[in-house]
Amino acid sequence: MNGDTTKKSTPYTIPIGPVHPALKEPVMFTFQMEGEVVRSVDFAPGNTHRGIEWMGMRRNPVQIVHLTDRICGICGIVHSLSFARAVEQIAEIEVPPRADYIRTILHELERMQSHILWAGVAAHELGFDSLLFLAWRVREQSMDLIENLTGNRVNYGIVQIGGVRRDISDDQRPVIEQGLAYYRGLIDQMKTVFLDDSTIRMRCRGHGLLSYRDAQLLCAIGPTARASGVAMDVRHDYPYCAYGDLDVHPVLPPQEFGGPQGDVYDRIIVRLLEIAQSIDIIQQCLDSMPAGEILWEKKLPKLLSILKKAQGEAIGRVEAPRGECMHYVRMDGNEAPATWKVKASSYSNLMSWIPMLKGEQLADVPIIVASIDPCMSCTDRVTIIRNGAADNLTKEELTRLSREKTRRLSRC
Amino acid sequence: MLIDIILLLGGAVLVGVFGILIALFLMGVDRIVTARMQARIGPPLSQPLTDIRKLFTKENVVPANAIPLLFNLAPVIALASAITILLYIPVGGFPPVLSGGGDLILVMYLLTLPALALVAGGFSSGSPYATVGAQREMVTMIAYEFPLAVVIIAIAWKLAVSGIPLPFMLASVQANPVWGLVGPLGIIGVLILFFVLLIVTPAELSRIPFDTPEAETELAGGVLVEYSGKNLALFTLTQGVKTVVMASLVVALFIPYRLSAIILAPVILQPVLDLLFYLVLVVLVAFIAVSLIRVSMARFRINQVVSVYWMYISLIGIAGMLLIMADHILGVV
């Protein structure tokens, strides 16, 4: 295993990516290996840039909301909600309370299906395919619920500026209650299957460590940060939608599992507990859902003309399943926004790969890479092309470009 | 003399074809059973045959920086050596084709050949994934070799001290089931050895949790990553034949019974009965050692593979051997 390290004093290189079974989306890793151990690692995103912001800047906000659905296949609500909240702040639109509750319910259903999907992926990365199939089978229930409420399994198209496009009828309430009961009965079983399995514990406990300090220095967010003990959750720190009325606290790895240690195992714990938390939140929403309108303005032409006059800038923040998602929008009295900037949650988490992967074995690379639940198509915002080939920007060039952008923004 | 050689050649071809057919059958059963346990439907029983047929029609790509001779030779050697082992093991309730020529020690050595061919093929394919995979394959081989030797030696020793001539010959093992030779303490020992051999099987076959050399998620197929077309088909068949070999070895060592000896049947029907019984046993062993373990565990890291075999499985095997020895000494006293 490590026997030939004396002969080969220089580490050898193993490329993983841009397309590789360890990765669910394209990103390029270069590992400097010594035997089976990772000495250093570098990664280069930028392989799934689709120019969504460019498309959005040529459309009006109502059109962009549906474009945001397509930024990510899993976080449809997250991006559309985040964008809608930014625009609503600029145009000073007050969302009806019932719409806020419906948004919250869908937001949490999305978190549940995303976390269960992740649990399946994690099991597969560990070579535990039975768990993958079982996890994805129970995920269907949440997908069915979402389809029942929005009409779609993905790309829901439910969020509108100023509210939501579909109400939750009285007939649909028992369906949701039934779904919640299904997951309530399942959550203990899922905890047993994932947390009491000795092979999973052997592979995950103490591996892919991200210390509390590193998590803060690298601005990690979401379950990645919470597994390292950083008590941070937009739903709690900066409540939006209905979260202000609800009882929501950041989920940290509990003491019964030894408190936060910042390893892969803790990230599994946090996500499983968040599924339970989401069930609880949806129940709270159902219990206290107010009656009333679901849209601030039903007539689209009127809404569009109001949005056209809106001026100003705002940031929409939402706690996505992967962490904080942020949309910056600036409107200057035109039909299309002057600036639209998407910061997906994975963007903040990618850098934590570097300390996590250093010193780990090659066998643990897939699960550690997957443990932050990276979403590359959310994250990739730019690809540099020079002389017909992909290229990189240096720090100086980036600084210059960002100063130029700030100046341009402050002029408009 | 000539007739002997022709008979031998005919037997060898027959066993080869038979081995490959059972291999395809076992692979199909494994896929269906695994699928059912994972709440899937799974492919039809003929899927492995379809896969192999398709692979034979595909282009055989040799990477630019591979060593073509070694790269193309490795799969042939692997399959040939795997089929050779079958000639020394009782298959289908019949005595081994080469029953006069080899014993358990030879089988143990032959068992390393397909793995070594895989390693050679991996190293010669010139891919970093295949190189890491080949290193892991070697380490895995070193790891499971010791417990395997413990099992075989313990049983042969028991046969030897029981006064059976040629204890390493598979024919003697077949003729004298070890269960009948030991006392109650020894039965526990034999059970332990049975368990050890069942745990060695998935590593021998590179299946989860010991499939680190192929490790789909990190090495994208590891040693096999550069193989395609005909060569990949040969390696896939090798894996299947090795499954038959290991299952037959387990059956020969621990369940060497014949249905025809228990149930009275016409002479013509006896071989059919034995064959069916053998198939049931092989499927059962493959189900426990391959499918059941595969669906219930995650993949081990390579250092965990080594520590599992060198520490736990070896110790358990030695404990089993000691129990058999203690049983013998107590029995003699």
Side-chain angles (χ1 to χ4, degrees):
Chain A
M1 184 168 32
N2 291 328
D4 55 348
T5 44
T6 43
K7 251 195 299 184
K8 277 192 207 159
S9 54
T10 48
Y12 63 100
T13 307
I14 284 200
I16 287 191
V19 177
H20 187 281
L23 311 165
K24 297 296 158 258
E25 285 179 272
V27 54
M28 178 71 204
F29 281 96
T30 316
F31 289 98
Q32 298 297 321
M33 304 291 299
E34 213 174 287
E36 289 264 341
V37 179
V38 176
R39 279 286 156 255
S40 65
V41 52
D42 191 16
F43 70 91
N47 296 292
T48 54
H49 176 53
R50 293 163 299 160
I52 283 204
E53 283 165 345
W54 187 89
M55 285 154 79
M57 306 267 274
R58 278 142 192 86
R59 284 162 165 79
N60 67 47
V62 173
Q63 289 171 320
I64 300 178
V65 171
H66 298 299
L67 191 60
T68 55
D69 253 346
R70 279 131 184 102
I71 291 178
C72 175
I74 300 175
C75 324
I77 301 275
V78 162
H79 283 288
S80 46
L81 189 55
S82 188
F83 177 78
R85 283 188 37 73
V87 175
E88 283 155 9
Q89 287 172 57
I90 298 171
E92 288 172 353
I93 294 172
E94 193 164 332
V95 179
R98 186 173 176 85
D100 263 342
Y101 273 76
I102 295 174
R103 283 177 171 189
T104 310
I105 290 174
L106 288 164
H107 194 28
E108 292 305 321
L109 275 175
E110 184 174 80
R111 190 183 319 279
M112 282 168 69
Q113 63 94 351
S114 172
H115 280 350
I116 300 174
L117 178 115
W118 176 85
V121 169
H124 172 67
E125 302 292 11
L126 288 167
F128 205 154
D129 280 348
S130 306
L131 262 188
L132 159 73
F133 294 120
L134 295 177
W136 283 25
R137 185 169 64 158
V138 300
R139 173 176 177 252
E140 280 308 298
Q141 185 76 25
S142 56
M143 299 298 282
D144 288 348
L145 267 183
I146 290 173
E147 191 182 358
N148 190 306
L149 296 180
T150 69
N152 294 310
R153 277 168 66 88
V154 284
N155 297 347
Y156 318 113
I158 183 98
V159 176
Q160 176 65 284
I161 311 278
V164 287
R165 293 176 60 224
R166 278 182 186 223
D167 202 353
I168 294 181
S169 67
D170 287 339
D171 299 343
Q172 282 168 322
R173 284 181 69 111
V175 182
I176 306 176
E177 299 267 7
Q178 220 176 348
L180 292 184
Y182 173 75
Y183 282 113
R184 241 182 241 121
L186 212 70
I187 194 79
D188 281 332
Q189 204 185 341
M190 282 180 73
K191 275 192 214 161
T192 318
V193 165
F194 275 95
L195 301 178
D196 291 351
D197 187 276
S198 52
T199 43
I200 292 187
R201 198 177 303 133
M202 266 165 83
R203 293 286 309 271
C204 297
R205 211 11 143 194
H207 291 279
L209 283 171
L210 180 71
S211 65
Y212 179 83
R213 198 180 141 70
D214 276 348
Q216 287 202 316
L217 282 179
L218 296 170
C219 303
I221 50 173
T224 311
R226 290 197 280 275
S228 295
V230 184
M232 181 174 72
D233 191 325
V234 184
R235 291 176 293 172
H236 174 259
D237 306 337
Y238 181 78
Y240 53 95
C241 291
Y243 291 109
D245 309 341
L246 308 171
D247 178 29
V248 185
H249 293 284
V251 174
L252 297 182
Q255 280 307 320
E256 56 175 299
F257 292 108
Q261 300 176 17
D263 54 11
V264 175
Y265 195 72
D266 274 348
R267 275 164 232 144
I268 301 179
I269 296 175
V270 166
R271 290 203 174 87
L272 287 181
L273 292 181
E274 281 189 15
I275 297 175
Q277 187 192 30
S278 290
I279 300 173
D280 183 44
I281 292 175
I282 298 174
Q283 191 62 57
Q284 289 184 43
C285 285
L286 284 179
D287 291 345
S288 55
M289 194 150 83
E293 286 296 315
I294 55 162
L295 270 176
W296 176 72
E297 176 53 65
K298 272 186 192 145
K299 296 188 194 76
L300 277 186
K302 195 175 168 196
L303 178 67
L304 277 174
S305 74
I306 292 166
L307 291 176
K308 205 171 166 180
K309 287 183 208 113
Q311 286 199 6
E313 60 176 356
I315 292 175
R317 298 169 71 188
V318 156
E319 180 75 16
R322 296 159 176 76
E324 181 187 21
C325 170
M326 221 161 78
H327 280 228
Y328 169 79
V329 182
R330 189 185 186 95
M331 315 253 289
D332 57 356
N334 284 316
E335 201 173 318
T339 306
W340 173 36
K341 173 80 198 146
V342 181
K343 197 239 37 160
S345 29
S346 293
Y347 181 82
S348 308
N349 280 334
L350 295 188
M351 282 313 284
S352 48
W353 270 335
I354 305 286
M356 279 183 202
L357 285 167
K358 211 169 269 180
E360 293 293 346
Q361 287 203 14
L362 184 61
D364 292 327
V365 166
I367 181 64
I368 294 175
V369 168
S371 72
I372 69 161
D373 201 0
C375 184
M376 300 314 296
S377 13
C378 287
T379 308
D380 278 349
R381 289 278 81 84
V382 66
T383 298
I384 308 295
I385 305 284
R386 267 183 225 169
N387 305 326
D391 202 356
N392 292 325
L393 284 179
T394 60
K395 190 183 171 188
E396 288 73 32
E397 286 170 309
L398 269 177
T399 320
R400 182 174 54 77
L401 282 172
S402 55
R403 278 183 192 144
E404 273 173 23
K405 185 171 184 182
T406 313
R407 252 178 246 128
R408 200 169 62 238
L409 281 179
S410 54
R411 270 202 303 275
C412 68
Chain B
M1 186 62 202
L2 194 67
I3 289 173
D4 277 355
I5 292 176
I6 289 172
L7 270 181
L8 213 62
L9 277 178
V13 171
L14 211 65
V15 167
V17 172
F18 183 65
I20 288 175
L21 284 181
I22 304 184
L24 292 171
F25 172 68
L26 280 186
M27 282 152 81
V29 170
D30 169 53
R31 288 183 65 170
I32 292 178
V33 168
T34 309
R36 292 293 151 88
M37 284 193 278
Q38 291 172 339
R40 294 182 289 128
I41 296 167
L45 191 61
S46 61
Q47 190 61 42
L49 181 67
T50 318
D51 287 351
I52 300 284
R53 268 179 51 202
K54 188 197 77 180
L55 280 177
F56 271 109
T57 64
K58 291 277 179 182
E59 190 192 2
N60 194 12
V61 182
V62 180
N65 52 350
I67 308 164
L69 182 70
L70 205 55
F71 184 78
N72 287 319
L73 207 58
V76 180
I77 295 178
L79 185 57
S81 53
I83 292 178
T84 312
I85 312 172
L86 274 185
L87 303 181
Y88 290 100
I89 300 180
V91 176
F94 307 107
V97 175
L98 294 173
S99 52
D103 55 14
L104 274 169
I105 308 268
L106 181 69
V107 169
M108 254 188 73
Y109 274 104
L110 281 176
L111 267 176
T112 59
L113 263 186
L116 281 178
L118 201 59
V119 169
F123 275 128
S124 63
S125 53
S127 149
Y129 299 139
T131 311
V132 175
Q135 287 172 9
R136 288 184 180 180
E137 177 76 42
M138 282 198 298
V139 174
T140 314
M141 220 159 70
I142 296 165
Y144 67 69
E145 208 72 332
F146 184 63
L148 181 63
V150 167
V151 172
I152 287 177
I153 286 169
I155 289 178
W157 179 84
K158 181 62 205 167
L159 291 184
V161 294
S162 306
I164 288 151
L166 299 172
F168 276 108
M169 294 299 291
L170 268 152
S172 351
V173 179
Q174 174 90 347
N176 305 286
V178 71
W179 305 97
L181 303 172
V182 292
L185 208 57
I187 286 193
I188 300 172
V190 177
L191 271 177
I192 289 174
L193 291 182
F194 191 17
F195 166 77
V196 168
L197 194 57
L198 283 180
I199 300 290
V200 168
T201 306
E204 183 77 61
L205 304 172
S206 296
R207 305 307 288 266
I208 288 173
F210 305 110
D211 70 331
T212 20
E214 284 165 30
E216 185 225 324
T217 43
E218 74 247 28
L219 294 182
V223 270
L224 296 175
V225 70
E226 295 294 343
Y227 277 101
S228 55
K230 188 186 89 221
N231 284 343
L232 184 59
L234 291 181
F235 267 134
T236 315
L237 279 180
T238 310
Q239 287 293 84
V241 174
K242 272 176 85 178
T243 315
V244 180
V245 166
M246 286 310 290
S248 303
L249 192 65
V250 174
V251 172
L253 285 177
F254 291 103
I255 329 171
Y257 298 104
R258 285 178 178 198
L259 214 52
S260 58
I262 305 162
I263 299 173
L264 287 173
V267 185
I268 316 161
L269 276 182
Q270 276 184 5
V272 182
L273 218 58
D274 284 345
L275 183 66
L276 285 178
F277 187 55
Y278 161 83
L279 279 181
V280 169
L281 287 183
V282 164
V283 167
L284 212 64
V285 169
F287 168 71
I288 295 171
V290 177
S291 314
L292 199 61
I293 297 183
R294 182 153 85 99
V295 294
S296 53
M297 285 177 117
R299 183 184 301 117
F300 283 134
R301 239 177 267 130
I302 187 68
N303 58 341
Q304 289 168 340
V305 170
V306 175
S307 58
V308 162
Y309 279 112
W310 279 88
M311 296 280 294
Y312 305 107
I313 303 296
S314 293
L315 282 179
I316 293 172
I318 288 172
M321 188 166 74
L322 288 177
L323 276 177
I324 293 179
M325 289 168 95
D327 173 65
H328 177 72
I329 292 163
L330 289 176
V332 169
V333 170

